[in-house]
Amino acid sequence: MVLADLGNQISSALANMSNSTIINEETIDTLLKEVGNALSRADVSLKLIIQMRKNIKEQLKLDAMAAGLNKRRIIKKVVFDELIKLLDPGVAPWKPTKGKSNIIMFVGLQGAGKTTSVTKLASFYKRKGWATAMVCADTFRAGAFDQLKHNATKAKIPFYGSDTDRDPVAVAKKGVDIFKKDGAEIIIVDTSGRHKQEEELFKEMKEIETVVKPDNVIFVMDSSIGQAAFDQATAFKNSVSVGSVIITKMDGNSKGGGAISAVAATKSPIIFIGTGEHIPDLDLFDASSFVSKLLGMGDVKGMMNM
Amino acid sequence: FMKYFQTLTGSRTIDNNDLEPILQKLKSHLTSKNVALDIAEKLVDSVGQSLQGKKLSTFQGVNSVVKQAMEEAVTRILTPKKTIDILRDVQAVRGTRPYTIVFSGVNGVGKSTNLAKICYWLTAHGYKVMMAACDTFRSGAIEQLKTHAERLNVEVFERGYGKDAASIAGEAIDYARATNHDVVLIDTTGRMQNNEPLMRALSKLVNQNTIDLVLFVGEALVGNDGVDQLVKFDKSLSLLADSTQTKVRTIDGIILTKFDTIDDKVGAAISMVYSTGHPIIFLGTGQNYTDLKRMNVKVVVKSLLN
Ligand SMILES: Nc1nc2c(ncn2[C@@H]2O[C@H](COP(=O)(O)OP(=O)(O)OP(=O)(O)O)[C@@H](O)[C@H]2O)c(=O)[nH]1
Ligand SMILES: Nc1nc2c(ncn2[C@@H]2O[C@H](COP(=O)(O)OP(=O)(O)OP(=O)(O)O)[C@@H](O)[C@H]2O)c(=O)[nH]1
Ligand SMILES: [Mg+2]
Ligand SMILES: [Mg+2]
């Protein structure tokens, strides 16, 4: 995972600042520019970067009043806090309830990794002892039914889908009803990939949401996504009630800034990251431990001792 | 008064102080359009250098001079140095052997779907086309290809899952020759550019067989990672090239997919072409067979700079 690079770049920008003797408007601007570049290289939305730089500057103005406090320490803390704010929407992640059917619906752009992550998540809950099932409501993509069916067989998880019924709403409803009756505790519904420019497909997604009544909608996003992330994620959020985010393909070389944009757009926490193509390649995500890792614990401690 | 008049329009030389803020703004603009940061920096630097010390003609502002220079630069980048005419090349070998095309790229970008679109296009031009199912890894990949083949009424050569892709490609080409196919379209497994064993396997597939055209399929959604993807795919094709080979194997051209999902954030096109010089042969603009377009350089440049 390369998000750590971002942490390194930011840490070194902060270190450079410590070495320069005077701290004035100019040093702060240089620092903010370097932090901004690091975030930009990681694909964080430019809007967010500008906002963050503004926030930091305002914070610093306020804190500058506090007499006797070490300026460098304050600057570091403000930068760290703003970073944490970007990754942590301050909402507790949704948790399934025992003894009922919890319905989870997956949505996202084409090829983001929904179908793969559906199986990974189902398998995660199965390992934890939940009665789990999967429904394929992607009746559009060629081979989608077979893809989830193969995965279901591999993971030994019950599965519903149809290779003749072309109506995703009907298939979703039927599958969910069947597994509810069976007493499944976790029912995960996979849907087709779509994007905001296709109104019809967004309407279809809402219809599926209406009939399956999900307890949680998970937005899946590819970690390599660039500046389009924010607008696309916002459109999904505005259309269905997204409650969580999964970021996929973190085993690649991308710095995952799209993740930050998705959190900002959906105001939903990242719950898992995908780290490979195999079923166990799913890691739990915790924003605060992630950020401290990102910035290196040493730095946080060092900051406190200054 | 004269002095004021001069700064507004006069024929004076451009100096750094005029240029710097405009270039910085332009860099941010390019980044917001999803050009990778490093590429945006290089572009802006080269435009800045080309204008250094140049005389402004009467009634010309620095702003418009910079914009024009940038427009020329990106137009030059996007205009292919060598054109790849697939129809001509297919025609040239027709009757002697099948023309072979490999579709490569990272996971989920649209390799298989755009292979099917190319199949539709070649079939419409009267060629006898065959698909080779060399993604023997991802669940449902073979069924996906079979579904397209059935709809397009062409043959698929497949040997099931888990087999060596390079040898299946070889068998497929032999089969195509024996059955008088004009073209073989070879689907491959998606792989991350930093996954060395998988990159080696791709190199083997390409170098062990007679491949006429290696296409890199990338998505317009990709951010800074797009450059790394393309550069690494380009390089790794020569990993297993035999030392007696006179020509180093590289990617021949790019298909840039999901162009319908990005509005005016067209920067990935620039990043990809700039970093390797390979031409964009087609844009993928949707999920239907006809959603395969030639890139209109003017339109792309306009979206980029507006
Ligand atoms: N390396 C890697 N590949 C992944 C990961 N998650 C998914 N993939 C791959 O990404 C590709 C697309 O995944 P899918 O699960 O089919 O994506 P999807 O969102 O269901 O796609 P559509 O249904 O077509 O919209 C496949 O090749 C997956 O194997 C991951 O965490 N790491
Ligand atoms: N909107 C849009 N979607 C596309 C385009 N090209 C492909 N897709 C969709 O992207 C998703 C992934 O496409 P695939 O062709 O399966 O991608 P792939 O690269 O073969 O994926 P793997 O084999 O799993 O690595 C599918 O849902 C396609 O319908 C395009 O140009 N525009
Ligand atoms: Mg899917
Ligand atoms: Mg494929």
Side-chain angles (χ1 to χ4, degrees):
Chain A
M1 186 191 333
V2 203
L3 252 172
D5 273 2
L6 170 62
N8 289 339
Q9 284 175 42
I10 292 172
S11 299
S12 86
L14 287 168
N16 283 342
M17 187 198 61
S18 306
N19 297 335
S20 67
T21 40
I22 338 156
I23 293 176
N24 51 24
E25 194 88 355
E26 206 190 317
T27 15
I28 291 173
D29 279 344
T30 312
L31 169 78
L32 289 183
K33 209 177 130 194
E34 276 170 47
V35 171
N37 275 351
L39 291 171
S40 177
R41 211 167 256 121
D43 296 310
V44 176
S45 153
L46 207 67
K47 272 187 247 174
L48 293 176
I49 297 175
I50 293 168
Q51 185 59 47
M52 180 180 167
R53 285 172 63 165
K54 224 178 96 199
N55 289 353
I56 293 178
K57 274 200 109 159
E58 267 165 28
Q59 282 285 115
L60 288 178
K61 253 185 218 146
L62 289 178
D63 284 343
M65 321 259 190
L69 280 174
N70 186 315
K71 265 191 182 169
R72 287 192 181 84
R73 202 183 78 185
I74 295 170
I75 293 171
K76 285 188 175 181
K77 176 133 189 7
V78 170
V79 173
F80 289 164
D81 286 351
E82 280 295 320
L83 274 176
I84 288 167
K85 236 165 68 188
L86 280 181
L87 263 170
D88 184 357
V91 183
W94 173 84
K95 290 239 151 45
T97 316
K98 273 275 174 196
K100 66 165 254 191
S101 291
N102 298 275
I103 295 152
I104 304 173
M105 175 176 165
F106 271 58
V107 299
L109 291 167
Q110 286 93 350
K114 294 175 293 300
T115 306
T116 309
S117 305
V118 162
T119 314
K120 288 178 177 180
L121 187 66
S123 179
F124 168 87
Y125 281 122
K126 184 180 176 228
R127 285 196 303 272
K128 300 241 158 200
W130 299 74
T132 308
M134 306 191 288
V135 176
C136 174
D138 180 357
T139 57
F140 174 79
R141 169 166 165 183
F145 170 78
D146 294 284
Q147 185 182 3
L148 198 58
K149 196 169 98 180
H150 284 241
N151 285 346
T153 312
K154 250 187 242 167
K156 300 195 179 64
I157 292 170
F159 155 84
Y160 177 83
S162 166
D163 51 3
T164 50
D165 191 343
R166 290 264 147 267
D167 176 4
V169 183
V171 173
K173 177 153 176 40
K174 194 156 175 209
V176 167
D177 286 348
I178 289 173
F179 288 126
K180 262 182 166 170
K181 217 170 277 161
D182 277 4
E185 295 166 293
I186 303 274
I187 304 170
I188 308 184
V189 181
D190 186 24
T191 65
S192 304
R194 63 196 84 228
H195 55 282
K196 72 181 173 74
Q197 289 84 350
E198 278 178 315
E199 234 173 86
E200 279 301 303
L201 293 186
F202 263 56
K203 222 174 90 196
E204 175 196 285
M205 173 170 67
K206 281 191 205 169
E207 283 168 26
I208 298 175
E209 185 188 35
T210 308
V211 300
V212 306
K213 299 185 191 67
D215 297 285
N216 190 24
V217 176
I218 297 183
F219 177 66
V220 178
M221 182 162 262
D222 183 325
S223 62
S224 75
I225 193 168
Q227 295 292 322
F230 188 86
D231 291 349
Q232 289 289 356
T234 305
F236 276 93
K237 173 73 175 183
N238 290 343
S239 180
V240 290
S241 29
V242 172
S244 315
V245 176
I246 291 179
I247 304 295
T248 61
K249 311 182 197 176
M250 288 297 279
D251 49 320
N253 261 353
S254 66
K255 299 188 172 49
I260 292 175
S261 308
V263 172
T266 61
K267 306 204 168 42
S268 308
I270 299 171
I271 49 169
F272 287 98
I273 55 174
T275 56
E277 296 192 72
H278 296 280
I279 294 171
D281 298 335
L282 186 74
D283 293 350
L284 267 166
F285 182 87
D286 172 58
S288 51
S289 83
F290 179 80
V291 171
S292 52
K293 235 189 259 163
L294 177 73
L295 298 168
M297 277 316 265
D299 277 357
V300 178
K301 282 207 194 96
M303 179 184 95
M304 296 312 170
N305 293 336
M306 272 179 72
Chain B
F1 173 75
M2 266 322 277
K3 190 169 171 254
Y4 173 69
F5 189 68
Q6 262 192 355
T7 47
L8 206 62
T9 58
S11 65
R12 59 194 179 94
T13 49
I14 302 175
D15 74 26
N16 231 342
N17 292 340
D18 302 328
L19 270 180
E20 207 37 49
I22 296 173
L23 292 177
Q24 282 308 317
K25 248 182 138 173
L26 189 55
K27 192 181 89 184
S28 294
H29 177 80
L30 292 175
T31 317
S32 75
K33 290 291 172 97
N34 200 34
V35 177
L37 185 68
D38 293 340
I39 308 291
E41 266 166 6
K42 282 184 192 153
L43 274 172
V44 163
D45 284 351
S46 76
V47 165
Q49 259 156 34
S50 74
L51 293 178
Q52 219 31 270
K54 276 251 166 74
K55 282 226 184 307
L56 278 177
S57 58
T58 336
F59 302 117
Q60 219 177 6
V62 184
N63 234 324
S64 73
V65 172
V66 170
K67 197 172 169 200
Q68 196 190 333
M70 184 54 81
E71 193 175 317
E72 281 162 15
V74 284
T75 304
R76 210 177 321 118
I77 291 165
L78 289 179
T79 308
K81 272 119 221 117
K82 53 169 194 208
T83 45
I84 293 179
D85 186 340
I86 297 179
L87 294 175
R88 182 198 61 202
D89 296 348
V90 169
Q91 189 59 39
V93 298
R94 190 179 204 179
T96 62
R97 62 176 181 86
Y99 184 85
T100 54
I101 309 179
V102 162
F103 293 74
S104 68
V106 301
N107 303 85
V109 289
K111 295 175 292 299
S112 311
T113 308
N114 287 280
L115 177 152
K117 294 180 196 172
I118 300 254
C119 178
Y120 170 84
W121 174 67
L122 287 169
T123 307
H125 277 88
Y127 293 106
K128 192 175 170 195
V129 186
M130 196 186 92
M131 298 180 183
C134 296
D135 179 355
T136 61
F137 173 73
R138 208 208 73 217
S139 301
I142 297 176
E143 288 85 351
Q144 180 181 11
L145 223 53
K146 276 185 168 168
T147 306
H148 286 303
E150 203 172 297
R151 288 181 197 156
L152 295 170
N153 201 18
V154 302
E155 246 184 278
V156 189
F157 185 92
E158 59 113 339
R159 285 287 178 269
Y161 289 96
K163 308 274 167 49
D164 175 51
S167 9
I168 299 177
E171 284 174 47
I173 296 167
D174 289 343
Y175 177 82
R177 189 195 299 264
T179 49
N180 296 316
H181 280 87
D182 300 318
V183 185
V184 185
L185 304 176
I186 302 170
D187 190 26
T188 67
T189 308
R191 65 201 79 214
M192 290 293 155
Q193 74 271 25
N194 56 341
N195 189 323
E196 159 105 24
L198 294 184
M199 293 309 284
R200 252 172 205 283
L202 177 67
S203 177
K204 181 175 157 203
L205 187 153
V206 170
N207 286 290
Q208 184 175 294
N209 299 296
T210 311
I211 304 297
D212 292 292
L213 190 69
V214 181
L215 296 179
F216 174 82
V217 183
E219 54 177 36
L221 284 164
V222 74
N224 284 265
D225 195 45
V227 174
D228 190 56
Q229 287 177 11
L230 196 52
V231 170
K232 293 232 163 70
F233 267 77
D234 215 28
K235 261 199 199 135
S236 57
L237 288 186
S238 54
L239 273 179
L240 297 173
D242 132 17
S243 56
T244 58
Q245 244 169 283
T246 46
K247 190 175 142 261
V248 177
R249 221 343 162 177
T250 62
I251 297 284
D252 296 301
I254 302 166
I255 300 185
L256 190 60
T257 64
K258 308 187 190 174
F259 213 73
D260 50 324
T261 68
I262 50 154
D263 296 328
D264 61 356
K265 296 189 169 60
V266 296
I270 309 288
S271 306
M272 285 189 187
V273 177
Y274 186 97
S275 51
T276 57
H278 299 320
I280 292 175
I281 301 181
F282 288 110
L283 297 179
T285 56
Q287 307 189 75
N288 299 311
Y289 296 130
T290 50
D291 294 329
L292 189 69
K293 302 281 179 312
R294 298 276 180 195
M295 181 170 65
N296 183 331
V297 174
K298 265 202 187 129
V299 174
V300 172
V301 171
K302 212 174 148 205
S303 328
L304 184 76
L305 295 178
N306 278 348

